[in-house]
Amino acid sequence: MSEPPSGGQDVRDRRVRAGATGRTRPRSNSQLELDARLRQVGDVARGLPALTARGTRASRKELVAGLEAGRHLNPRLELLPVQVPRHAWTALAEARRLATDVAETQLHLDRLDELELELQLMECLGNGRQVRSIARRRYPTGATTMRLGGGDVPLAVVAGALLDELQPQMEARTLDASDVAEVVQAIARGAGLDVEIRIEPGLVANAAAGERTVFLADRRFGPREARRLAVHEVLGHLTAAANARAQPLAVVQVGTAGAFADQEGVAIQLEAESDLLDDLRVRTFAARVWCTDRVHEDVAFEDVARLLVGEYGFRPGAAIALALRSYRGGGLTRDASYLRGWLDVRTAVRAHPAGPMQALHRLRLGRVSVRALPALQRLLDSNALRPPTYCPEVPVSSLALSPAATASGTSAYTSPPSFAASLTRFEET
């Protein structure tokens, strides 16, 4: 593959402009102790996604074949609960006590409430009724309302309109995971980040990000999909993670309340800024909301997969992937967060007086949410936090990276007018 811009002096200049050399004021003893407890709890809770992210490739292929042939589907979703170590519960209680003695107490308490739910989910994995009950408190559902056009609209209504109105286009899957790894590395170099890439045959999602690692499913990808994935994981998640590591406060490293949804929203909005967000992708987010509600209604996995194909026109492989994501762990249903987070971030970005990229830079100063921004600004103003170290722009010149990224038989396309029109109509209602 041809070499993209390496970053070099441009990356260093962006870091200086972002204020990476600024000093922060010393932390109090209470803040130091709170940060230590927050990290203890966060280190345990971060295991939750990994516990539910994998399945065997053979079992997925078997489910797809069964769906195509009209056979009974046996998804084998059993998972054993995980015993949360006692020290995590102790640290959680101690963190709540310490939070009353630091600046922005509520910012910390709100995240501790989320972490408690995540620990509870780990301890009841596999028990569908308990998992779904806690998941409803931790993650959005279709009943969650969005502020659109001056009114409150349920997320399920937005998702339903997107499913009905958007007309997705398909692209040929001409790249394997090793090709995608090269695209990811190119975007990472342009952002000044060192990234490890691992190809995971059992990954349910197409990709996932750790602190410094991008995990790729061992499958075929389309060229646009590969570039979009690289923007999402590197410019979104890994950039925020790198900035979080440079921050002195643990709450932006572990994540503020609402950060899971809104960091997905940031990564999706970066796809949009890169002209890589298309109808198929948005329709997938809408389907995740629809699946979330079917799980909470106790609809069978098999029925959901068949409805996705028969009623909404998803391919069998996509339908199985959507259903597996929603039913994993007994019904973890995290995936309505994607549409909710994107709509929240999209609104915040459009309203920012300095423009969308400045808004996205602020939302990547760590693992932060839109609703935490006022508190974070106060911490920035008091030098308790520092501005983001890494502020990569959308690398337009890097998106056409090589012949592999524009392989024969495929072409880039922009979203049809229905994509913009569907959301615009909702904003006017």
Side-chain angles (χ1 to χ4, degrees):
M1 301 181 76
S2 60
E3 290 292 323
S6 61
Q9 186 62 45
D10 287 342
V11 172
R12 290 191 290 274
D13 289 346
R14 288 197 297 272
R15 293 175 64 180
V16 170
R17 288 198 301 272
T21 58
R23 296 180 180 274
T24 55
R25 62 178 171 81
R27 289 174 289 167
S28 67
N29 288 337
S30 291
Q31 185 68 66
L32 288 168
E33 292 181 32
L34 172 58
D35 286 345
R37 303 300 180 273
L38 258 173
R39 290 190 184 97
Q40 282 182 294
V41 181
D43 285 347
V44 175
R46 74 173 55 183
L48 178 61
L51 290 168
T52 60
R54 287 171 171 77
T56 69
R57 176 190 250 180
S59 66
R60 291 201 307 275
K61 289 181 68 175
E62 181 181 332
L63 287 169
V64 172
L67 182 58
E68 292 174 332
R71 296 193 298 267
H72 172 65
L73 303 182
N74 180 18
R76 303 173 192 166
L77 296 169
E78 297 84 3
L79 264 181
L80 294 176
V82 173
Q83 183 64 50
V84 172
R86 182 179 297 274
H87 75 77
W89 293 114
T90 302
L92 180 69
E94 185 67 7
R96 282 203 171 103
R97 183 186 68 80
L98 291 163
T100 61
D101 296 328
V102 303
E104 303 300 340
T105 292
Q106 199 59 49
L107 182 75
H108 292 82
L109 291 176
D110 288 347
R111 179 55 176 145
L112 289 167
D113 288 345
E114 285 189 350
L115 287 168
E116 181 176 16
L117 293 173
E118 289 166 23
L119 297 183
Q120 290 174 358
L121 283 167
M122 294 175 74
E123 292 203 327
C124 65
L125 285 174
N127 185 324
R129 181 170 295 180
Q130 289 185 352
V131 167
R132 292 193 295 272
S133 175
I134 299 170
R136 275 193 293 268
R137 296 163 58 196
R138 173 62 185 89
Y139 304 113
T141 69
T144 303
T145 57
M146 305 294 307
R147 193 73 177 171
L148 293 175
D152 292 332
V153 181
L155 193 58
V157 174
V158 179
L162 294 173
L163 283 169
D164 289 342
E165 295 183 26
L166 298 186
Q167 301 298 319
Q169 298 180 10
M170 307 298 294
E171 65 172 346
R173 292 176 173 173
T174 58
L175 308 180
D176 61 26
S178 62
D179 296 321
V180 180
E182 293 185 51
V183 178
V184 172
Q185 285 288 13
I187 296 294
R189 284 194 295 271
L193 295 174
D194 292 324
V195 173
E196 177 187 0
I197 300 174
R198 289 170 51 182
I199 297 173
E200 295 281 344
L203 194 64
V204 172
N206 293 330
E211 278 290 320
R212 298 176 174 86
T213 306
V214 174
F215 302 90
L216 298 174
D218 188 10
R219 70 164 186 82
R220 304 283 290 179
F221 295 82
R224 272 182 70 83
E225 182 183 26
R227 288 174 281 163
R228 184 183 66 232
L229 182 154
V231 167
H232 184 106
E233 303 297 348
V234 175
L235 300 189
H237 296 317
L238 292 191
T239 296
N243 285 329
R245 291 193 296 272
Q247 293 290 354
L249 298 186
V251 70
V252 295
Q253 299 167 0
V254 176
T256 65
F260 169 66
D262 287 356
Q263 284 299 302
E264 292 298 343
V266 167
I268 295 163
Q269 186 60 29
L270 284 161
E271 298 176 27
E273 298 295 331
S274 305
D275 197 26
L276 292 169
L277 184 65
D278 53 51
D279 282 8
L280 178 62
R281 177 79 161 152
V282 176
R283 204 165 182 267
T284 298
F285 300 144
R288 291 176 183 177
V289 176
W290 182 86
C291 287
T292 291
D293 286 351
R294 303 294 83 72
V295 171
H296 288 306
E297 292 167 4
D298 207 22
V299 178
F301 175 98
E302 180 172 19
D303 293 338
V304 165
R306 296 197 188 287
L307 283 168
L308 285 169
V309 174
E311 296 293 323
Y312 293 106
F314 283 90
R315 292 181 174 182
I320 291 297
L322 283 162
L324 285 173
R325 289 178 67 109
S326 298
Y327 283 83
R328 58 188 173 184
L332 194 57
T333 61
R334 302 164 77 230
D335 283 358
S337 301
Y338 289 77
L339 184 59
R340 167 67 187 272
W342 176 50
L343 293 174
D344 279 348
V345 168
R346 181 173 172 270
T347 298
V349 163
R350 288 184 167 191
H352 198 280
M357 285 312 300
Q358 287 302 312
L360 290 167
H361 291 337
R362 183 51 52 88
L363 283 165
R364 289 181 293 173
L365 69 80
R367 293 184 174 95
V368 304
S369 59
V370 171
R371 73 181 194 237
L373 288 180
L376 296 172
Q377 186 60 55
R378 291 190 291 269
L379 291 169
L380 284 163
D381 291 343
S382 67
N383 292 322
L385 290 175
R386 58 173 59 97
T389 302
Y390 293 92
C391 293
E393 302 284 338
V394 171
V396 176
S397 62
S398 297
L399 292 177
L401 291 168
S402 72
T406 54
S408 175
T410 66
S411 61
Y413 56 88
T414 57
S415 300
S418 61
F419 165 65
S422 61
L423 282 179
T424 300
R425 280 196 289 274
F426 268 101
E427 289 173 348
E428 292 174 348
T429 59

